[in-house]
Amino acid sequence: MAIKVVKFGGSSLADAAHFRQVAEIVKADPSRRYVVPSAPGKRFSDDTKVTDMLYTLYELVRARASMEVIDAHYENIKARYNSIITELGINLDLSGEYEYIKNAVLHSSGRDFAASRGEYLNGMILAKYLGFDFIDAENVIYFKDNGTFDEEKTNDMLSIELKDHKYAVIPGFYGISPNGTVVTFSRGGSDITGSIVARAAEADLYENWTDVSGFMMADPRIIKNPSIIDTITYRELRELSYMGATVLHEDAIFPVRYAGIPINIKNTNRPEDRGTMIVSQASGYDTEHVITGIAGKKGFSVITVEKDMMNSEIGFGRKVLESLEDFGVSFEHLPSGIDTMSVVVQNAQIEGNEDRIIQAITRRTKPDSVTLESGLALVAVVGRGMVKARGTAARVFNAVSNAGVNIKMIDQGSCELNIIVGVDERDFETTLKAIYNEFVK
Ligand code: ASP
């Protein structure tokens, strides 16, 4: 029988009604054997996620707030879980767990421990409700001394453990370090746990259930009702996520990608929607629109270095990049001309060191001029279909210029998976809309 690993995000488990939907989804397909839950998320737009409430609990303890204040806050956290348990009518008493967690947080068990209890408690409730085994992530997900994830140890131990459980719930977001402290991934990290479990289970599919029907072609805050991407490759997804598109935690891609397991982004509120399939090989999946998606970010600067006969000077590029390296700056793009070289960097990387970086470049390269221009936005047009379709670049540039926007930089990788244009930050939204309308509408 096929094996599916299913991860449910916080909004999919925010209250009892959502738990019911989740159970229906899990039970509808017996191959959905391993379930990875997040902590309860927001029930309405200005609600607070349980994970954030737990971080606040930790801060209150650290700031030595009165026991009264701490207790009142903790009651609100318990109430979130208790209302789910009562409404679902499950026979589960978490009072011992609550007491243990409170004492541990009061006695410096750490910030990560506090946050991780969101998933831990939710996992216990979900396991009970589904009638599945509960596998505590701290017995199967390992971190190294330096805080990074221990991939191989985890895969070895977890795959052995899973063999003993036909159906199980494994809470997302946390694991254990060699000295026995609980460690979490970065925010949104339950996606990573899901991916790790899928790899260890040698799953056929990793379903990631959330509150949208897949990965959108563009940011819905800028493009109204953007189309959903039907199928996207891991590489395309990396490009789009890097440029700011989010649905899935970036690090969630790696464990399943190498194992060749596809990810299906699905909507808990509309399970019948196909969602987006994320696959390693694009063959057989033609894109509908030539491009797969568009994403972008503001907040970039360009450093431009000019020097006569630069193109024949060996080591020029190295000297420029070394000057950036001295200040711990990594670069994004390197568009160059015959006697000019530009380096695109994130503003945040150079902030406060602008003058010193320019001086360092000047000292090393003795240029005719060095200039720094900030206020650049980058827009990436990504699509595996671009290799086959002639004239895609021309369509992008025409669309942008017809919208009255001046393109300041162009970068196209030779793999023809993306075209990146740099525009003034003020033109960011207009650029995205122009490109989207050119290819989709
Ligand atoms: N609950 C954690 C967070 O809010 C992890 C997750 O939901 O994936 O970031």
Side-chain angles (χ1 to χ4, degrees), residues 38 49 51 119 173 187-190:
S38 280
K49 291 180 175 186
T51 307
E119 280 48 30
F173 194 38
R187 294 302 302 267
S190 299

PDB file of all heavy atoms in Angstrom, residues 38 49 51 119 173 187-190, ligand 1:
ATOM      1  N   SER A  38       0.948  21.048  13.360  1.00  0.00           N
ATOM      2  CA  SER A  38       1.480  22.283  13.950  1.00  0.00           C
ATOM      3  C   SER A  38       0.723  22.530  15.244  1.00  0.00           C
ATOM      4  O   SER A  38      -0.186  21.787  15.589  1.00  0.00           O
ATOM      5  CB  SER A  38       1.187  23.472  13.033  1.00  0.00           C
ATOM      6  OG  SER A  38       2.082  23.549  11.983  1.00  0.00           O
ATOM      7  N   LYS A  49      -1.580  33.012  17.686  1.00  0.00           N
ATOM      8  CA  LYS A  49      -1.196  31.603  17.554  1.00  0.00           C
ATOM      9  C   LYS A  49      -0.710  31.088  18.908  1.00  0.00           C
ATOM     10  O   LYS A  49      -0.027  31.830  19.634  1.00  0.00           O
ATOM     11  CB  LYS A  49      -0.014  31.467  16.591  1.00  0.00           C
ATOM     12  CG  LYS A  49      -0.299  31.769  15.163  1.00  0.00           C
ATOM     13  CD  LYS A  49       1.007  31.559  14.387  1.00  0.00           C
ATOM     14  CE  LYS A  49       0.775  31.719  12.918  1.00  0.00           C
ATOM     15  NZ  LYS A  49       1.960  31.388  12.135  1.00  0.00           N
ATOM     16  N   THR A  51       1.718  29.161  19.494  1.00  0.00           N
ATOM     17  CA  THR A  51       3.182  29.272  19.556  1.00  0.00           C
ATOM     18  C   THR A  51       3.598  30.659  20.070  1.00  0.00           C
ATOM     19  O   THR A  51       4.497  30.771  20.906  1.00  0.00           O
ATOM     20  CB  THR A  51       3.790  29.042  18.149  1.00  0.00           C
ATOM     21  OG1 THR A  51       3.292  27.809  17.644  1.00  0.00           O
ATOM     22  CG2 THR A  51       5.308  29.005  18.193  1.00  0.00           C
ATOM     23  N   GLU A 119       3.077  22.187  19.684  1.00  0.00           N
ATOM     24  CA  GLU A 119       2.941  21.024  18.796  1.00  0.00           C
ATOM     25  C   GLU A 119       2.751  19.745  19.616  1.00  0.00           C
ATOM     26  O   GLU A 119       1.980  18.867  19.260  1.00  0.00           O
ATOM     27  CB  GLU A 119       4.191  20.842  17.940  1.00  0.00           C
ATOM     28  CG  GLU A 119       4.424  21.654  16.707  1.00  0.00           C
ATOM     29  CD  GLU A 119       4.238  23.141  16.749  1.00  0.00           C
ATOM     30  OE1 GLU A 119       4.446  23.754  17.811  1.00  0.00           O
ATOM     31  OE2 GLU A 119       3.911  23.717  15.707  1.00  0.00           O
ATOM     32  N   PHE A 173       7.986  20.671  14.301  1.00  0.00           N
ATOM     33  CA  PHE A 173       8.689  21.856  14.812  1.00  0.00           C
ATOM     34  C   PHE A 173       9.886  21.600  15.733  1.00  0.00           C
ATOM     35  O   PHE A 173      10.759  22.415  15.824  1.00  0.00           O
ATOM     36  CB  PHE A 173       7.666  22.760  15.519  1.00  0.00           C
ATOM     37  CG  PHE A 173       8.103  24.164  15.826  1.00  0.00           C
ATOM     38  CD1 PHE A 173       8.898  24.891  14.955  1.00  0.00           C
ATOM     39  CD2 PHE A 173       7.682  24.790  17.005  1.00  0.00           C
ATOM     40  CE1 PHE A 173       9.272  26.204  15.245  1.00  0.00           C
ATOM     41  CE2 PHE A 173       8.037  26.093  17.302  1.00  0.00           C
ATOM     42  CZ  PHE A 173       8.835  26.807  16.411  1.00  0.00           C
ATOM     43  N   ARG A 187      10.733  29.363  12.647  1.00  0.00           N
ATOM     44  CA  ARG A 187       9.273  29.464  12.572  1.00  0.00           C
ATOM     45  C   ARG A 187       8.733  28.788  11.312  1.00  0.00           C
ATOM     46  O   ARG A 187       9.337  28.869  10.247  1.00  0.00           O
ATOM     47  CB  ARG A 187       8.826  30.936  12.594  1.00  0.00           C
ATOM     48  CG  ARG A 187       9.091  31.678  13.886  1.00  0.00           C
ATOM     49  CD  ARG A 187       8.444  31.066  15.116  1.00  0.00           C
ATOM     50  NE  ARG A 187       7.003  30.900  15.100  1.00  0.00           N
ATOM     51  CZ  ARG A 187       6.122  31.779  15.577  1.00  0.00           C
ATOM     52  NH1 ARG A 187       6.543  32.917  16.062  1.00  0.00           N
ATOM     53  NH2 ARG A 187       4.832  31.511  15.561  1.00  0.00           N
ATOM     54  N   GLY A 188       7.608  28.152  11.454  1.00  0.00           N
ATOM     55  CA  GLY A 188       7.019  27.430  10.323  1.00  0.00           C
ATOM     56  C   GLY A 188       7.656  26.059  10.139  1.00  0.00           C
ATOM     57  O   GLY A 188       7.428  25.370   9.142  1.00  0.00           O
ATOM     58  N   GLY A 189       8.457  25.646  11.119  1.00  0.00           N
ATOM     59  CA  GLY A 189       9.294  24.453  10.955  1.00  0.00           C
ATOM     60  C   GLY A 189       8.568  23.112  10.938  1.00  0.00           C
ATOM     61  O   GLY A 189       9.196  22.090  10.660  1.00  0.00           O
ATOM     62  N   SER A 190       7.278  23.090  11.208  1.00  0.00           N
ATOM     63  CA  SER A 190       6.571  21.801  11.116  1.00  0.00           C
ATOM     64  C   SER A 190       6.602  21.268   9.684  1.00  0.00           C
ATOM     65  O   SER A 190       6.547  20.061   9.463  1.00  0.00           O
ATOM     66  CB  SER A 190       5.118  21.938  11.567  1.00  0.00           C
ATOM     67  OG  SER A 190       5.083  22.348  12.907  1.00  0.00           O
TER      68      SER A 190
HETATM   69  N1  ASP B   1       4.014  26.456  15.384  1.00  0.00           N
HETATM   70  C1  ASP B   1       5.245  26.865  14.809  1.00  0.00           C
HETATM   71  C2  ASP B   1       5.145  28.285  14.286  1.00  0.00           C
HETATM   72  O1  ASP B   1       4.138  28.938  14.482  1.00  0.00           O
HETATM   73  C3  ASP B   1       5.734  25.927  13.764  1.00  0.00           C
HETATM   74  C4  ASP B   1       4.780  25.689  12.616  1.00  0.00           C
HETATM   75  O2  ASP B   1       3.601  26.022  12.694  1.00  0.00           O
HETATM   76  O3  ASP B   1       5.210  25.157  11.612  1.00  0.00           O
HETATM   77  O4  ASP B   1       6.073  28.777  13.692  1.00  0.00           O
END
